[in-house]
Amino acid sequence: MRPRSSLGLFLGILSAVVIVDQISKRLALSALSDGGSLTAIPGLILLTRTSNTGAAFGLMPGFRVLFMLIALAVVVGVFAFVVRERPQSALLVVALGLVTGGAIGNFIDRALHGQVIDFLEFAFIDFPVFNVADTAIVVGVGLLILWLLITPSPRPGSVEPDSAPPVPSPPDPGSPGSDAPGQGEVG
């Protein structure tokens, strides 16, 4: 992957997640009353609108400012990494785009509503209600773990080809500063 295309892919994935997340939440807010539920796919998915003041899946409620600061740190850190390092792995870039887009989506909710809007619920299992941003974060972290597992790591003591220090060239015999006898000596 070309360095420029890694940034484009990252921004494209991030933008798609934020747009789909925010549109889906607006639809949930307009179509469902708080706590209201509709069957989307019988036996599989319900649309149930809830609000969440905690982290993903309602963990640690009431820490809005902390979660906003964490999201901001993640977004700034990942964006700086992608711009500076221009990762060549499409899998890594997609994973980082998903996580960052999800963090931004939930950050927007906390900033605008003081809580995150959740509306997706599994009908077949007792699982917390979630949203598109949560899904992007979980899938992104899963892809990041996969990338870590399949990317070969350098062996101890080995040096990456691009990070090897330059080999100094030998001095020209007889040049000033050279210890070699030759043309540069006056006798």
Side-chain angles (χ1 to χ4, degrees), residues 111-137:
L112 295 178
H113 307 290
Q115 56 198 359
V116 174
I117 308 302
D118 290 328
F119 62 92
L120 296 170
E121 182 178 16
F122 290 123
F124 59 92
I125 189 171
D126 185 21
F127 193 79
V129 180
F130 56 100
N131 60 46
V132 172
D134 296 338
T135 304
I137 292 169

Side-chain angles (χ1 to χ4, degrees), residues 41-76:
I41 303 172
L44 191 60
I45 300 287
L46 301 172
L47 300 178
T48 305
R49 188 179 127 202
T50 64
S51 299
N52 172 8
T53 61
F57 312 118
L59 300 173
M60 297 175 56
F63 290 92
R64 174 181 172 239
V65 173
L66 174 65
F67 296 134
M68 290 178 75
L69 291 173
I70 290 169
L72 191 60
V74 166
V75 170
V76 169

Side-chain angles (χ1 to χ4, degrees), residues 12-33:
I13 296 290
L14 177 156
S15 298
V17 168
V18 172
I19 290 167
V20 171
D21 177 65
Q22 291 300 301
I23 289 173
S24 65
K25 288 173 179 173
R26 297 308 152 250
L27 291 171
L29 284 170
S30 66
L32 299 167
S33 61

Side-chain angles (χ1 to χ4, degrees), residues 7 78-87:
L7 181 59
V78 172
F79 188 77
F81 170 78
V82 171
V83 168
R84 185 170 158 244
E85 299 297 326
R86 304 291 172 126

